[in-house]
Amino acid sequence: MTASTASSHASHASPNRPNRPIRLYRFALSGHCHRVELMLHLLNLPFETVDVDLPGKEHLQPPFLAINPFGQVPAIDDNGVILSDSNAILVYLASRYDPAGTWLPRDPVAAANVQRWLSVAAGDLAFGAAAARIVVAFKRPGDTVDMIQRANQLLTRMEAHLTVPAATAFLASGAPTIADLACYAYLAHAPEGNVTLEPYPAVRAWLERVAALPGFVPMASLPCGLNAAA
């Protein structure tokens, strides 16, 4: 594992700020890791990254398994609070460090709308666009036909969701929430898994709105799939 420090503008701790940098265990090309790193940036929290060598199976070795017995990234260590699962980490960060409740609304209906999209991120997105990208980008075994079909079904539903008369600018409300962060990276990078975004203008416009948020940081693109050089 290699560590690096990410900057924050905070100069002191407060009840809603960590008193030391949050440690993020990540693989930089993972959309699951990106959503957590993006949340840390958008909340302007001090953190440091620890890169885990997934190709070298470092995540399956005892030192990392002591952090996350499931052997998966991301994981965080917030002054002794150790958590894994990207969506769970998003809930934790929003609940602890966003006192206004913007990123995870406290209203029951609004919170349920956010949870709906977290479930989408862990379901149709993970087994569709995200899975296709893994097969293509990292040359894993697998037939992407069903993955791409599942991705297109999700994109069609998202396009409809974002274009109904009562549609909001973001997935769960008029303001960005952790729902948007959970879904962003793997859809923005869907072409790397041979999933086209061209038929979905409302989805592409939503991706642009997320990317325009103050403090946004992108995930590195890979020259594969539809992004491969001609």
Side-chain angles (χ1 to χ4, degrees):
M1 288 183 261
T2 59
S4 62
T5 300
S7 63
S8 171
H9 303 299
S11 59
H12 62 278
S14 74
N16 291 308
R17 298 198 59 85
N19 57 17
R20 65 180 65 176
I22 296 170
R23 179 165 289 186
L24 168 62
Y25 296 88
R26 68 167 191 176
F27 179 65
L29 295 175
S30 162
H32 287 81
C33 295
H34 178 264
R35 64 183 65 157
V36 173
E37 187 165 353
L38 181 54
M39 178 88 272
L40 290 165
H41 276 282
L42 294 175
L43 289 175
N44 193 27
L45 296 173
F47 72 97
E48 60 185 19
T49 58
V50 179
D51 290 310
V52 180
D53 181 9
L54 297 194
K57 308 296 184 184
E58 186 179 12
H59 58 300
L60 302 178
Q61 302 306 312
F64 186 78
L65 292 175
I67 298 166
N68 181 8
F70 286 89
Q72 298 171 330
V73 290
I76 65 166
D77 181 348
D78 183 11
N79 196 22
V81 176
I82 298 174
L83 295 170
S84 58
D85 183 88
S86 60
N87 288 347
I89 295 171
L90 290 180
V91 169
Y92 167 80
L93 293 173
S95 299
R96 183 158 189 174
Y97 295 117
D98 176 28
T102 301
W103 290 99
L104 181 58
R106 296 183 178 88
D107 172 77
V109 174
N113 285 334
V114 170
Q115 179 58 59
R116 172 197 182 198
W117 288 102
L118 296 184
S119 297
V120 169
D124 287 342
L125 179 57
F127 294 103
R133 175 179 176 268
I134 289 172
V135 170
V136 175
F138 301 104
K139 297 179 173 57
R140 300 283 182 84
D143 184 351
T144 62
V145 173
D146 288 342
M147 299 171 189
I148 293 172
Q149 181 180 11
R150 190 165 187 167
N152 286 325
Q153 288 175 342
L154 173 58
L155 285 163
T156 298
R157 290 166 181 160
M158 290 184 71
E159 185 75 12
H161 172 74
L162 290 165
T163 54
V164 296
T168 54
F170 295 92
L171 292 180
S173 73
T177 67
I178 60 173
D180 301 286
L181 306 191
C183 293
Y184 173 82
Y186 285 125
L187 288 177
H189 292 261
E192 295 169 18
N194 288 315
V195 176
T196 180
L197 299 175
E198 286 303 313
Y200 311 105
V203 172
R204 287 186 278 112
W206 162 73
L207 290 170
E208 291 174 359
R209 288 192 289 274
V210 175
L213 294 173
F216 175 86
V217 290
M219 183 172 72
S221 295
L222 295 171
C224 59
L226 300 179
N227 287 350

